[in-house]
Amino acid sequence: MDFELSKEHVMLQEMVRNVAGKEIQPYAREVDETGEMRLETFKKLGELGLLGIPFPEKYGGAGGDTISYCIAVEEIGKACGGTGLSYAANTSLGASPIYYFGTEEQKRKWLVPMAKGETLGAFGLTEPNAGSDAGGTRTKAVLDNDEWVINGEKCWITNAAYARQVIVTAVTGTKKDGRPIISAIIVPTNTPGVTITSPYDKMGVRGSNTCQIVLENVRVPRENLLGDEKKGFSQFLYTLDGGRISIAALSVGIAQAAFEKALRFAKERKQFGQSISKFQAIQFKLADMAMEIELARNEVYKAAWLKDQGKPFAKEAAFAKLFASEMGFRVCNQAIQIHGGSGYMREYEVERYLRDIKLMEIGEGTSEIQRLVIARQLGC
Ligand SMILES: Cc1cc2nc3c(=O)[nH]c(=O)nc-3n(C[C@H](O)[C@H](O)[C@H](O)COP(=O)(O)OP(=O)(O)OC[C@H]3O[C@@H](n4cnc5c(N)ncnc54)[C@H](O)[C@@H]3O)c2cc1C
């Protein structure tokens, strides 16, 4: 593949870089310290059409491709990892499943306002006893006449406190082989019986909202079922494949920010009568960082391109997510090393990048699960 970004991609990159530099980066430290997501930022991103990049115009989106969306995630993540996570989760997990699997009516009701940036959404899969093993879901939904009655608990759900609706996975029956049937149901967050709290004090991505959701006899109309009742499991696997590309893009953005700070610092900092960038030990670190970031970015674009072509992309999405997140951790760690003691100080911000990037090796499938996904694709 002879790859080059199109003129439109480059224009979008410049636009998002500019907006992120003015509207997001200046608040990155503040949201990290307060642990509060900044809603004004999302209002602005919505006004600029950035919350609906990969959705068709008829659903309020910008009609862009996955590469465009990844470019936006990278630039936003470069400015602030927490904001980048909330941005990516909103589009990949909150809105995309409705676009992929929703009825026309569901798209009009839930996707259009999200794509226009008027509302936010969330995706509730993880439970206290069902993380990597999502098949262990215990939340249950039972049909009572024309309503689903849902009971259960979800943990660590991004954006839930600000979401108009959460897509919740729940057991709705049992297969012939005894395994649970897991379905996805759209739950408006203002439904009686839904309790959303934010009890977590996180290590990083602190500008992103993370919540616990308790569902007690929550009743929603039967038509809130998303997609095929029996295929909820495969639907969310497909959703996560797409989401992984955006987590990889976010990792590239955070790593790029750490690299740029380290390069600048290395040129400015003098020891032994010269700039530390003149020491080969530091040069080799910077060379490896630049190379690994570029390789990860290329894999993000490849996975995004495959998805846009309608070709299988699960393996490449796992490659991208696994490589970019682990690469990002190495890069952010080396960025601190290059800063020496300064890197350990909050003022220099590189320690935040390391705290933020760690989540990328955990969320939307841990590194271990990515290796399992890849091994399965290899026929193991
Ligand atoms: C900030 C944040 C935001 C999040 N946002 C969301 C969200 O919006 N929606 C949502 O649904 N979830 C969300 N999550 C949850 C996230 O997706 C899970 O934390 C993740 O999938 C891992 O699950 P777990 O934490 O239960 O770890 P576990 O599954 O308990 O894993 C613990 C360890 O065991 C390893 N392990 C587990 N199974 C295997 C295996 N078969 N082989 C080898 N190793 C294995 C794991 O890799 C890991 O190292 C979020 C989490 C965080 C921290």
Side-chain angles (χ1 to χ4, degrees):
M1 184 173 63
D2 188 14
F3 185 76
E4 200 180 0
L5 288 182
S6 68
K7 217 169 88 188
E8 289 75 24
H9 288 139
V10 174
M11 276 165 60
L12 175 80
Q13 191 173 45
E14 281 166 11
M15 187 270 261
V16 184
R17 192 171 289 167
N18 191 20
V19 172
K22 285 193 193 132
E23 304 281 343
I24 301 175
Q25 207 276 331
Y27 302 98
R29 244 183 108 177
E30 181 185 317
V31 296
D32 178 56
E33 278 165 13
T34 60
E36 297 275 331
M37 181 166 148
R38 197 168 171 272
L39 268 186
E40 297 94 308
T41 301
F42 283 83
K43 233 172 123 189
K44 187 80 196 170
L45 295 176
E47 282 163 16
L48 292 167
L50 295 174
L51 293 183
I53 289 181
F55 308 115
E57 287 170 26
K58 75 168 179 165
Y59 296 126
D65 56 12
T66 310
I67 294 180
S68 305
Y69 168 53
C70 287
I71 287 171
V73 174
E74 179 184 333
E75 292 303 328
I76 292 168
K78 186 180 161 196
C80 171
T83 304
L85 179 70
S86 277
Y87 173 73
N90 185 63
T91 305
S92 296
L93 303 181
S96 292
I98 299 174
Y99 174 56
Y100 300 146
F101 309 113
T103 60
E104 199 53 34
E105 206 190 325
Q106 286 172 340
K107 287 178 191 167
R108 299 252 158 250
K109 187 166 177 183
W110 306 106
L111 176 61
V112 171
M114 284 192 80
K116 285 185 174 169
E118 295 162 0
T119 63
L120 296 174
F123 180 76
L125 173 67
T126 306
E127 300 187 358
N129 292 302
S132 302
D133 180 13
T137 298
R138 294 201 184 155
T139 294
K140 278 199 170 55
V142 179
L143 258 187
D144 179 26
N145 292 317
D146 270 344
E147 288 182 329
W148 291 105
V149 184
I150 312 171
N151 281 285
E153 183 186 334
K154 300 286 173 182
C155 59
W156 308 325
I157 306 306
T158 304
N159 296 344
Y162 300 101
R164 179 184 174 217
Q165 78 287 338
V166 182
I167 300 167
V168 164
T169 50
V171 175
T172 50
T174 311
K175 290 182 189 165
K176 280 186 193 139
D177 63 7
R179 285 185 299 157
I181 296 172
I182 299 179
S183 312
I185 300 171
I186 303 171
V187 178
T189 48
N190 63 1
T191 313
V194 176
T195 309
I196 300 178
T197 51
S198 195
Y200 312 116
D201 190 7
K202 300 198 296 289
M203 167 186 176
V205 289
R206 290 171 55 81
S208 171
N209 171 253
T210 312
C211 295
Q212 178 195 45
I213 306 177
V214 177
L215 304 121
E216 287 170 301
N217 292 319
V218 173
R219 287 179 169 269
V220 299
R222 184 180 196 149
E223 63 264 23
N224 280 25
L225 179 81
L226 182 62
D228 188 325
E229 183 177 336
K230 296 205 167 69
K231 292 191 181 152
F233 199 80
S234 58
Q235 285 175 21
F236 72 65
L237 289 184
Y238 181 83
T239 300
L240 291 177
D241 283 343
R244 282 167 189 158
I245 309 177
S246 66
I247 295 297
L250 179 53
S251 305
V252 172
I254 298 170
Q256 181 70 34
F259 167 73
E260 288 179 14
K261 271 210 194 301
L263 181 62
R264 202 173 321 127
F265 185 88
K267 287 179 179 170
E268 284 166 10
R269 174 73 175 167
K270 288 200 168 55
Q271 287 294 280
F272 299 96
Q274 58 180 337
S275 147
I276 61 166
S277 66
K278 296 292 172 213
F279 299 131
Q280 200 178 48
I282 301 293
Q283 289 174 354
F284 280 12
K285 285 187 200 301
L286 289 164
D288 284 346
M289 290 157 84
M291 173 187 68
E292 288 209 82
I293 291 170
E294 187 61 15
L295 291 175
R297 186 180 287 118
N298 284 341
E299 192 56 25
V300 168
Y301 290 158
K302 181 174 178 190
W305 179 83
L306 285 170
K307 182 169 188 280
D308 288 334
Q309 301 302 310
K311 298 185 183 211
F313 65 95
K315 185 175 71 183
E316 286 73 12
F319 279 169
K321 202 257 183 194
L322 176 60
F323 182 70
S325 60
E326 294 192 346
M327 167 292 288
F329 190 82
R330 285 191 291 276
V331 166
C332 294
N333 193 27
Q334 290 296 12
I336 295 180
Q337 195 66 20
I338 290 170
H339 278 75
S342 304
Y344 208 69
M345 302 299 144
R346 287 199 195 268
E347 184 193 339
Y348 284 82
E349 293 190 278
V350 281
E351 59 80 36
R352 190 186 76 234
Y353 299 139
L354 188 73
R355 289 187 285 111
D356 286 353
I357 198 90
K358 184 60 203 170
L359 190 262
M360 310 308 140
E361 293 181 279
I362 297 169
E364 294 196 39
T366 61
S367 288
E368 291 76 15
I369 295 303
Q370 301 312 310
R371 287 187 168 86
L372 281 182
V373 170
I374 295 165
R376 255 180 231 140
Q377 292 283 329
L378 300 175
C380 298

